[in-house]
Amino acid sequence: MKRLITSPIYYVNDIPHIGHAYTTIICDTLARFYRLKGDDVFFITGTDEHGQKIEGAAAKNNLKPKQMSDKISAEFRALWDSFDISYDHFVRTTDESHERTVKAVFARMYESGDIYKGEYEGNYCVSCESYFPANQLIDGEFCPDCGKKTSIIKEESYFFALSKYEKKLLEWYESDKCILPRGKKNEVINFVKSGLKDLSITRTSFSWGISLPGILNEPKHVVYVWLDALFAYLSPLGLEQNGTLNLAGQGNMAHFNECGVHIIGKDILRFHAVFWPAFLLSLGLPLPKMVAAHGWWTRDGQKMSKSKGNIVNPKEVAAAYGIEQFRYFLLREVPFGQDGDFSQRALIDRINSELCNDLGNLLSRIVGMSSKYSEYKIDASKLEAKHKEELDAASEHINTALKEIDEANMSRYLEEIWRVLNIANAAVAKYEPWTLVKNGDIDGANAVVALCANLLAKAAILLSPALPKTAAKIADTMGFEINTENFTHFITQNSTKDFTTKACDALFNKVESELMMPPVPQNEPQSEQIKIDDFAKCEIKVGTVLECENVEGSSKLLKFKVDLGESAPRQILSGIAKFYNASELVGKQVCVLANLKPAKIMGLESQGMILSAESEDGGRKLVLLGTHSPVKNGAIVG
Ligand code: MSP
């Protein structure tokens, strides 16, 4: 079977972090697993290099966008090479063949009537490279995905007729594994059912992007980064050939057509589960078999950020603890789709208990026992007769593991492999082969060793996609090969074998204490300093909330009546409905920026701004500012 496996292609605005390593390692494990099974796999990773975000990051670093892209793209590639990531193609959206593909796609969609010209005005988040409708913004201006301030952009734009594909998308969502985890699928379905707007797919406000195909003669426009980036999944497969599109699935396109699998983070699901299939439908191409979205990583329970200096650098972790140890931790720590936390303590615990004890010690014991009892030879002839129960139990876990990996659930996959190891470890404790030998039951002792060796061999074969070097060491010590033939023998056919072992070093070493320095907060960026006269321009007053209610049609806004000691109370709107119940605020004193020019929000006038502080309790949260003890309404804050 042919398969395509893709990681997201990563933005080149900054160096790789744990989130990038996580997705790439999941993809690498899947690619290695299916190759081992005998499939013809094509694995793509790469970098996403166009757009305003990259243009801005380059300017900050005094570089041209292409120089910045070259530098960071090379860092991603070098990292994956040092991690021995088995990608077949590293795509860059600045590759000439990719740019040609995007132009050909654009021209095709335009000719078929799915692209038309119009005008767009909306709130744009540069960080997410995405527009958001006003009613989704936090406080009327902040991005609902990343919390950063959006800017209003008005530009002439070409649109893609996304709305046309609503019905077909809903039909696609009916296929079982198209979106994983399944819970996420409902979010997507609800989003599509709430009505799709056509998508603005060109920009005129900056120039760092792919220009439109010549037939349109539109030098001002560049292609929207997401339309550009998503086709990086197909440009390396030869979607475009000599200026025309290969829609018949010839050559490497067959990998996508037979089984396209995209592994992504949850934040970019909408682009992959709505826009991407709609683009494919427009071209008449098949849809992916699976779009699987994983959760996000925090560090020591905190969101990672540059200012906290706590962004987990994969290179640093691998240098301190080892690549395979890091791979194991990432794949094992969280069930697919859930958020995870990185801490050195948790990593060390997994290394010591699971890799050293459960896995490493089992190999040492097998080598030790086989050397003592049978000159390194392990005879499996009595195994089936004596240990059918254990073999059957292991085979059930193996079958479950195979189902789990088919849904990208690496953590459950590894858990099942560990259950197989535990059957072997428990058998040593239960039968005590050394006691059997003492009592003259040599056959019995050999059968236990054969059980352990066969279970470890099965586990090592299944483990090899996740921990290739470790599995190769186990196989070398036990004298077998990790290849498709042995996958069929040990896993598909559930058979056993004799082995000849040899002496070996410990697979893993215990870690006594943390090996990386704790994060150091970076200098806060210097904000512009102001004079006291500037502050004096702000009239901040204390007032009492007389009334407070939710605004109909908004999940974020509360409408207040606040007594500021004036002749009439003020009506003020505030986007804090997510953090407070309206009723709990009545009677409370709040601080209000009183001389703010009135503004209309959702058709209602807001006469001031209620002040709040940002907190980050696992997400963006707002806490209202008040006074320590009651004061007169209208009291000046300053
Ligand atoms: N360039 C787009 C993807 C285009 S694919 C056609 C992009 N790039 S990214 O570099 O910002 O992010 C790549 C991936 O990293 C996303 O899947 C995102 O979910 C993931 N992560 C970013 N931060 C993360 C964590 N803290 N934890 C886990 N993954 C996170 O989006």
Side-chain angles (χ1 to χ4, degrees), residues 7-14 17-23 47-49 53 76 127 225-226 228-233 263-268 271-272 294-298 304 340:
S7 79
I9 50 161
Y10 304 113
Y11 285 132
V12 288
N13 58 324
D14 217 333
H17 59 59
I18 185 174
H20 303 124
Y22 180 51
T23 332
T47 44
D48 189 354
E49 306 182 5
K53 184 188 181 98
F76 271 98
S127 188
V225 273
W226 274 99
D228 168 351
L230 286 160
F231 279 93
Y233 294 151
I263 306 293
I264 56 167
K266 63 181 181 181
D267 54 317
I268 54 174
F271 301 99
H272 285 79
H294 63 68
W296 268 42
W297 287 91
T298 49
M304 292 183 290

Side-chain angles (χ1 to χ4, degrees), residues 186-430:
N186 296 334
E187 283 174 29
V188 174
I189 293 177
N190 290 339
F191 175 77
V192 173
K193 279 191 175 160
S194 73
L196 291 177
K197 287 217 175 73
D198 289 351
L199 184 68
S200 160
I201 48 154
T202 64
R203 300 284 181 269
T204 53
S205 50
F206 59 91
S207 58
W208 178 235
I210 300 179
S211 51
L212 304 199
I215 46 159
L216 276 96
N217 190 23
E218 285 280 18
K220 275 196 317 213
H221 290 251
V222 291
V223 176
Y224 172 45
V225 273
W226 274 99
L227 176 64
D228 168 351
L230 286 160
F231 279 93
Y233 294 151
L234 299 184
S235 57
L237 301 179
L239 172 61
E240 182 270 356
Q241 274 160 16
N242 308 320
T244 52
L245 291 178
N246 160 20
L247 299 173
Q250 259 128 33
N252 279 334
M253 275 298 289
H255 286 93
F256 176 71
N257 289 9
E258 273 188 40
C259 185
V261 170
H262 305 300
I263 306 293
I264 56 167
K266 63 181 181 181
D267 54 317
I268 54 174
L269 180 60
R270 192 177 353 129
F271 301 99
H272 285 79
V274 183
F275 301 172
W276 177 229
F279 295 154
L280 294 166
L281 285 166
S282 166
L283 295 174
L285 283 166
L287 299 185
K289 288 289 171 305
M290 188 169 115
V291 173
H294 63 68
W296 268 42
W297 287 91
T298 49
R299 178 175 193 168
D300 300 317
Q302 296 210 333
K303 216 171 144 185
M304 292 183 290
S305 77
K306 268 195 156 175
S307 60
K308 284 189 204 138
N310 67 347
I311 298 179
V312 181
N313 180 338
K315 235 201 266 186
E316 206 189 316
V317 185
Y321 292 94
I323 293 176
E324 301 248 320
Q325 288 86 334
F326 185 39
R327 281 177 75 108
Y328 179 74
F329 176 81
L330 289 178
L331 295 172
R332 177 72 193 261
E333 185 70 2
V334 273
F336 192 82
Q338 291 183 18
D339 292 341
D341 186 51
F342 172 88
S343 72
Q344 296 197 65
R345 202 57 259 164
L347 171 59
I348 293 171
D349 285 350
R350 289 212 179 267
I351 294 174
N352 290 349
S353 81
E354 288 152 31
L355 295 179
C356 290
N357 289 351
D358 302 341
L359 182 62
N361 284 354
L362 180 61
L363 178 67
S364 314
R365 280 169 138 184
I366 292 168
V367 172
M369 292 189 292
S370 65
S371 82
K372 261 199 206 145
Y373 310 150
S374 52
E375 291 173 348
Y376 293 105
K377 298 263 181 290
I378 297 179
D379 171 8
S381 58
K382 309 255 168 26
L383 172 56
E384 306 261 347
K386 287 190 179 276
H387 293 289
K388 186 163 179 334
E389 207 180 304
E390 284 95 342
L391 287 172
D392 286 350
S395 127
E396 275 196 25
H397 292 305
I398 289 173
N399 289 338
T400 314
L402 297 177
K403 283 194 198 113
E404 295 292 353
I405 197 168
D406 246 349
E407 299 196 357
N409 196 345
M410 300 305 172
S411 155
R412 288 280 303 113
Y413 176 71
L414 290 172
E415 236 174 86
E416 293 300 327
I417 298 175
W418 248 253
R419 295 211 163 112
V420 174
L421 296 175
N422 289 342
I423 294 176
N425 283 318
V428 178
K430 177 174 170 192

